[in-house]
Amino acid sequence: MRTNALILLCFLSAVGLPVKAQSAPQETPQKVNVGIKVGFNSTMFFIDHFLMGENELKDIQNNYKVGYFGAFFCRFNMKKHHFLQTELSYNISKGSVSVPNSLNNAALIANNALVKTDIHSIDMPLLYGYKFIDSYPYGMAFFLGPKAAYIWKKHSESEYSGFYQQHISEEITPFCFSGIVGLSVNVSNIFFDFRYEIGLHNMVKSVSYAKDLTDAPYDTQDISVKRRRDVLSFSVGVIF
């Protein structure tokens, strides 16, 4: 009996060993993830001032339009749910500013004035993020950081209409800087990204017009515009 019990104990121990060896190991988080995303944006041009000579235009209205973008990104995972993320994206941003020919503006503009802007840019943000939900397959993260954008001058333009000045041309600064704050939600490797971008400086370098084609006294008025670009965007993508 003792011999049979000893044999049975040895057999059970031998069977138990491979069972432990075959148990599923805990997954080790990847140190680096890469991904792609596409989305839509809504651009708002906030006017700090809009001067015709020494007189400021009043009752300016900001009109947003829908643009779109595509991006490649790389995420560097750190300890305790923290990460750094770099991106390279191509953006098309559209928006306009309208100025009514009201009593305040009647002496400064010919009709209801409109400034339509179409900007093509290559954007490079650097984001810090924190994953406050990180339980596979679900995740949610908050992120923020700076962004630099290179404006592709060849494909970017602003169109002025409704002004006394003729052939108005606007030059935009080649580099624009902004701050980003946002939230991302993922299910497995599919994620949704919501973010708001705040322009940090004036993006208009100068505004000129054809003085020889403009009637007096409007040919003596310099046009000065200071405006910032804020962007609300939504995207969907895949992270590997």
Side-chain angles (χ1 to χ4, degrees), residues 74-98:
C74 186
R75 177 178 292 182
F76 302 91
N77 298 300
M78 300 183 292
K79 294 181 179 179
K80 297 182 179 180
H81 310 291
H82 301 272
F83 64 87
L84 289 176
Q85 182 168 307
T86 60
E87 299 179 4
L88 183 64
S89 64
Y90 184 79
N91 291 257
I92 298 176
S93 304
K94 300 181 180 182
S96 66
V97 173
S98 57

Side-chain angles (χ1 to χ4, degrees), residues 10-235:
C10 292
F11 175 76
L12 293 175
S13 299
V15 172
L17 286 174
V19 171
K20 290 183 179 179
Q22 293 174 7
S23 60
Q26 293 184 348
E27 292 186 2
T28 302
Q30 291 181 241
K31 292 185 178 180
V32 180
N33 297 105
V34 296
I36 56 174
K37 62 178 182 175
V38 293
F40 300 94
N41 60 48
S42 173
T43 303
M44 294 149 282
F45 294 103
F46 289 101
I47 302 294
D48 292 324
H49 80 233
F50 199 148
L51 298 177
M52 310 295 292
E54 297 181 355
N55 301 301
E56 186 166 1
L57 293 171
K58 305 291 184 180
D59 308 318
I60 299 173
Q61 181 178 351
N62 186 18
N63 310 304
Y64 69 88
K65 292 185 177 181
V66 176
Y68 46 93
F69 65 94
F72 167 82
F73 64 89
C74 186
R75 177 178 292 182
F76 302 91
N77 298 300
M78 300 183 292
K79 294 181 179 179
K80 297 182 179 180
H81 310 291
H82 301 272
F83 64 87
L84 289 176
Q85 182 168 307
T86 60
E87 299 179 4
L88 183 64
S89 64
Y90 184 79
N91 291 257
I92 298 176
S93 304
K94 300 181 180 182
S96 66
V97 173
S98 57
V99 186
N101 190 17
S102 61
L103 183 62
N104 293 325
N105 301 322
L108 302 176
I109 56 178
N111 299 296
N112 292 330
L114 183 66
V115 181
K116 295 192 298 184
T117 302
D118 190 343
I119 293 178
H120 292 234
S121 64
I122 299 173
D123 295 7
M124 296 157 284
L126 175 61
L127 305 173
Y128 158 77
Y130 179 77
K131 294 178 279 188
F132 54 88
I133 296 179
D134 190 15
S135 180
Y136 188 86
Y138 306 107
M140 183 176 291
F142 168 82
F143 57 87
L144 54 82
K147 188 188 83 169
Y150 171 73
I151 308 299
W152 194 352
K153 184 178 179 180
K154 181 179 178 180
H155 296 284
S156 302
E157 63 177 354
S158 291
E159 180 183 340
Y160 285 66
S161 60
F163 296 87
Y164 286 111
Q165 289 80 3
Q166 300 297 307
H167 299 292
I168 299 174
S169 176
E170 179 183 86
E171 184 177 359
I172 298 174
T173 55
F175 290 96
C176 290
F177 300 93
S178 57
I180 292 175
V181 60
L183 184 72
S184 67
V185 178
N186 72 278
V187 179
S188 187
N189 63 332
I190 306 298
F191 72 91
F192 304 92
D193 187 310
F194 308 86
R195 63 179 61 182
Y196 189 76
E197 173 188 332
I198 304 170
L200 300 178
H201 61 90
N202 174 37
M203 60 180 295
V204 179
K205 188 174 182 179
S206 64
V207 180
S208 59
Y209 63 94
K211 293 187 176 182
D212 57 328
L213 301 177
T214 301
D215 295 333
Y218 306 103
D219 58 344
T220 61
Q221 295 178 343
D222 292 328
I223 301 176
S224 177
V225 180
K226 285 187 178 181
R227 58 175 172 161
R228 295 168 288 109
R229 180 178 61 161
D230 284 18
V231 181
L232 179 66
S233 65
F234 165 78
S235 63

